[in-house]
Amino acid sequence: NSAIWLPLVFGQPTLTNPIHTGIATYYDATGDGACMFGPSPNDLMVAAMNAEEYDQAAYCGAYVQVTGAKGSIVVRIVDLCPECKAGHLDLSREAFALIDDLYKGRVPITWQVVSPELTGPIAYHFKDGSNQWWTAVQIRNHRNPIAKLEYFNGSQWVAVPRTEYNYFAQTNPGMGTGLYSFRVTDSYGN
């Protein structure tokens, strides 16, 4: 899929996200999964990303608009579908029912990453077991896919590697004892 360039806005081209063509299936989602956000029983508009596009958890927490025969919905990516091929999204049962009939089980869709308005700022969640020698941080409540996390080590910004389980983990050495200064960059360079 390629990006579409639109007219200039204030002298800068505007990049839109590509529209993916694929299929949707459903599973008994809880909101928890490979992205390790934990269950979200009050928000089951969630989905699992296919293995080919999961890209080391790059889509975790991202929002995608899914369009099927009954209409469009926005879901948050919270899990990985290991057996799914490119274009395939595995939706929660609740989300699937809004785009097509459950009895069909497997339906054609299009989907696109979107940037919805959210309440509150982004949040930093430290993984249990984090310490001064091994520090793992997850970004939560973000509206765009996260591309990079950096921390300031006292003299320079250090890029922290992302794990496939959706944490940015700094080891050998860790980030030290804190206080921490973080710089988060989304997939658009913001």
Side-chain angles (χ1 to χ4, degrees):
N1 293 326
S2 61
I4 300 167
W5 290 94
L6 297 178
L8 293 178
V9 177
F10 302 109
Q12 297 295 321
T14 303
L15 180 64
T16 61
N17 293 314
I19 296 175
H20 301 258
T21 301
I23 60 165
T25 52
Y26 66 87
Y27 70 113
D28 291 324
T30 65
D32 200 6
C35 295
M36 298 188 70
F37 291 125
S40 59
N42 296 324
D43 179 13
L44 293 177
M45 290 298 111
V46 296
M49 177 59 66
N50 64 76
E52 292 183 31
E53 294 174 297
Y54 186 73
D55 190 22
Q56 190 79 5
Y59 278 105
C60 284
Y63 291 85
V64 296
Q65 182 173 344
V66 182
T67 303
K70 286 185 172 182
S72 294
I73 57 164
V74 174
V75 295
R76 183 170 56 104
I77 302 299
V78 298
D79 205 354
L80 166 66
C81 180
E83 67 278 2
C84 297
K85 302 294 182 201
H88 186 162
L89 294 178
D90 201 16
L91 306 176
S92 68
R93 178 183 297 269
E94 294 80 359
F96 188 98
L98 296 175
I99 62 151
D100 217 318
D101 297 318
L102 283 174
Y103 76 85
K104 293 180 181 175
R106 182 181 180 99
V107 297
I109 58 165
T110 59
W111 60 272
Q112 179 180 36
V113 174
V114 294
S115 182
E117 291 295 325
L118 300 177
T119 58
I122 64 171
Y124 304 97
H125 177 77
F126 288 84
K127 186 163 180 36
D128 289 344
S130 288
N131 56 52
Q132 64 188 12
W133 303 283
W134 180 85
T135 314
V137 181
Q138 183 183 74
I139 310 302
R140 293 184 175 183
N141 201 45
H142 53 89
R143 61 188 272 177
N144 297 324
I146 300 299
K148 181 169 53 171
L149 171 71
E150 299 167 284
Y151 78 99
F152 193 72
N153 72 359
S155 61
Q156 65 184 359
W157 289 101
V158 177
V160 181
R162 185 180 211 148
T163 67
E164 66 183 18
Y165 53 90
N166 194 34
Y167 278 84
F168 292 86
Q170 182 66 34
T171 61
N172 200 20
M175 294 182 194
T177 58
L179 301 170
Y180 303 113
S181 293
F182 293 132
R183 183 164 61 185
V184 177
T185 306
D186 70 17
S187 60
Y188 307 107
N190 299 310

